[in-house]
Amino acid sequence: MADKDFEEPQGDEVRPDEEGSEAKASDPDPQDGQGENDELTVDDILGATQNADAAAEDAVIADLESQLLNDLKRLQAEYANYRRRTEEQREVEIERAKGAVAKGLLPVLDDLDRADKHGDLEEGTPFAAVAVKLRGVAERIGLSTYGAAGEVFDPQQHEAIFQAPTPGVETPTILEVVETGYRLGSVELRPAKVVVAVPAE
């Protein structure tokens, strides 16, 4: 009977005292600093001191961001300048093309003026209708005339082809327009050729 009471445990059998020690080993120790109240908060993470490697990496990233931002600003400025230059060049080319067309029209407009002075542009005739349309085209492209009898003579705008001493005239005045002057916008294409009445001596 004594032999049966005190058998040695075999295999995986666990003695009561060993079971307690195993349970102790598997249970977390409340004293190891991992309790519920010791979890990290966002403020703890944000307020933590940064090590030297992380600080150096952040500095490199900030430097790269600054360079990229400067490159972007420079490209934006270059693109804005390119657009401005392109627009200015476009305007110049448009004005040049208009000028070429206008210069080609001047001899035809001169012929119309001469025909009008001779009474060949009677209202209602096909020739008069063509003259109206052609003058309308000239106006639409910005062509304008200047120089009219009675205006004060301006050597900057008028070309005097003859001076006629005239009693009662105090300042040089346009007596007759021989050839009309034309401007395209603010650009003078051709000065007005005029006969000038000057004071008689």
Side-chain angles (χ1 to χ4, degrees):
M1 185 173 181
D3 293 337
K4 290 183 181 177
D5 292 338
F6 298 100
E7 289 182 0
E8 290 290 325
Q10 295 180 3
D12 293 335
E13 291 181 7
V14 179
R15 292 180 180 173
D17 60 340
E18 288 179 345
E19 186 177 345
S21 64
E22 186 176 330
K24 284 181 184 177
S26 64
D27 287 343
D29 187 359
Q31 304 297 325
D32 64 357
Q34 298 293 329
E36 290 183 14
N37 296 331
D38 293 335
E39 290 182 6
L40 291 176
T41 64
V42 174
D43 291 335
D44 293 336
I45 294 170
L46 293 176
T49 56
Q50 203 172 31
N51 63 29
D53 291 341
E57 187 176 338
D58 284 351
V60 170
I61 291 173
D63 188 44
L64 287 173
E65 287 178 351
S66 176
Q67 288 179 8
L68 288 173
L69 185 60
N70 288 337
D71 288 346
L72 179 61
K73 287 179 179 178
R74 180 178 50 78
L75 286 173
Q76 285 177 330
E78 286 179 0
Y79 179 66
N81 289 336
Y82 165 76
R83 284 189 63 185
R84 181 182 48 78
R85 286 193 306 268
T86 303
E87 189 62 29
E88 288 175 356
Q89 187 64 30
R90 180 176 165 275
E91 292 297 327
V92 167
E93 291 301 324
I94 289 173
E95 290 302 315
R96 186 175 294 156
K98 284 182 179 180
V101 171
K103 284 185 177 179
L105 286 176
L106 295 186
V108 180
L109 294 173
D110 288 340
D111 288 343
L112 290 177
D113 288 341
R114 284 190 281 271
D116 195 13
K117 286 178 181 177
H118 288 96
D120 295 335
L121 295 181
E122 293 181 11
E123 191 173 343
T125 63
F127 193 32
V130 170
V132 169
K133 289 180 181 178
L134 191 57
R135 287 176 174 154
V137 169
E139 286 179 12
R140 280 195 297 277
I141 65 172
L143 196 62
S144 60
T145 62
Y146 71 95
E151 290 182 1
V152 176
F153 174 74
D154 182 357
Q156 299 293 328
Q157 300 181 30
H158 308 118
E159 182 181 337
I161 59 171
F162 182 75
Q163 291 185 351
T166 307
V169 173
E170 297 179 0
T171 58
T173 306
I174 296 174
L175 190 61
E176 181 185 352
V177 178
V178 177
E179 196 172 74
T180 305
Y182 286 97
R183 289 192 187 98
L184 183 63
S186 60
V187 178
E188 184 180 277
L189 295 180
R190 185 180 74 188
K193 294 181 180 179
V194 296
V195 174
V196 183
V198 294
E201 294 182 358

